Amino acid sequence: MAYMTTTTLSPTKLARSALTPLEARRQRRGFTLVELMIGASLSSFILAGVLSTFLFMGRSGANMNNYNDMEAQARKCLEIFAEDVRQANTIIWASSTTLTLTVPNPIGVGTISVDYAYDGGTRTFVRRDPVGRRVLLSGITVFEFKAYTITGAALTDFSTVAARTIANNSTKQLQLSVSCSRTNTTVVDATNTVLSARFILRNKLVTA
């Protein structure tokens, strides 16, 4: 038995076979210089947009991290400071930015001295006790202790020994006013301002 094979050209091949040699060459040609330049320009715009978005997101993330760090540090600092102030039965002012509180010993009977000081050289707010030294706040740009009497009158003079002695006897409330900043090479500085509540020295006896 004999078999006959029939070959049928596909529509594409039939269309190509009907083209003239010039038309066939035009279909096989690549991109022109103008087309390449337009494509390259469009790609550049798209790439620039992607890079700008990436940089913006990176800077926003860095700023958010700085703000979160300052907020967490401030919350912890105020918790520790408030606890010591509320337990203190005496206060001694060494300057307008340095003071010593006498608080109950957390590990036994008796009391301990706790120092709070602002270090302008390192721009840090530091707590010292018999166990060691701890930085509570860093990157400080503005620092101020605010002291008040039992009647709420502000104490502002700590310049002399006599003035500090009066403040030692009269201080019944303490407040912190602090501004901090975080610097990053790729973003603007992140700043944070903290004004605490007035913490009362509950165990300290004073007269009006």
Side-chain angles (χ1 to χ4, degrees):
M1 179 181 292
Y3 294 93
M4 183 175 65
T5 303
T6 301
T7 303
T8 303
L9 295 175
S10 66
T12 303
K13 290 184 177 179
L14 285 171
R16 287 179 179 174
S17 65
L19 296 176
T20 64
L22 179 58
E23 291 172 335
R25 285 198 300 274
R26 286 179 178 174
Q27 282 202 347
R28 291 194 300 268
R29 70 179 184 175
F31 295 106
T32 64
L33 180 59
V34 174
E35 291 171 336
L36 287 174
M37 292 179 65
I38 293 174
S41 299
L42 291 174
S43 299
S44 299
F45 282 120
I46 294 173
L47 181 60
V50 172
L51 289 176
S52 297
T53 302
F54 177 77
L55 290 175
F56 176 78
M57 292 178 65
R59 290 174 178 176
S60 298
N63 254 339
M64 187 62 67
N65 183 64
N66 287 335
Y67 282 119
N68 289 339
D69 178 58
M70 287 189 293
E71 286 290 340
Q73 215 180 42
R75 283 196 301 270
K76 190 63 177 177
C77 169
L78 293 181
E79 287 176 5
I80 296 172
F81 182 70
E83 183 179 0
D84 284 340
V85 172
R86 288 166 180 158
Q87 295 183 97
N89 53 39
T90 62
I91 181 172
I92 299 174
W93 290 92
S95 70
S96 61
T97 58
T98 304
L99 57 84
T100 300
L101 300 173
T102 303
V103 301
N105 191 339
I107 59 174
V109 180
T111 60
I112 61 172
S113 294
V114 178
D115 299 327
Y116 282 94
Y118 168 63
D119 187 340
T122 58
R123 299 194 308 157
T124 55
F125 181 45
V126 180
R127 179 187 188 272
R128 299 184 185 89
D129 61 19
V131 176
R133 176 181 182 272
R134 179 177 181 181
V135 174
L136 299 180
L137 284 174
S138 59
I140 297 173
T141 55
V142 178
F143 181 90
E144 183 183 8
F145 276 127
K146 294 184 177 182
Y148 302 90
T149 66
I150 193 171
T151 61
L155 298 168
T156 58
D157 187 6
F158 303 93
S159 58
T160 64
V161 174
R164 290 194 292 273
T165 300
I166 294 174
N168 293 343
N169 296 327
S170 302
T171 300
K172 184 62 176 181
Q173 304 172 60
L174 279 177
Q175 188 176 35
L176 275 180
S177 178
V178 184
S179 293
C180 301
S181 69
R182 293 288 186 276
T183 302
N184 193 292
T185 56
T186 60
V187 297
V188 297
D189 292 354
T191 59
N192 187 38
T193 300
V194 177
L195 179 62
S196 73
R198 294 187 187 182
F199 304 122
I200 300 174
L201 287 78
R202 297 171 179 171
N203 295 329
K204 183 175 183 289
L205 298 178
V206 297
T207 56

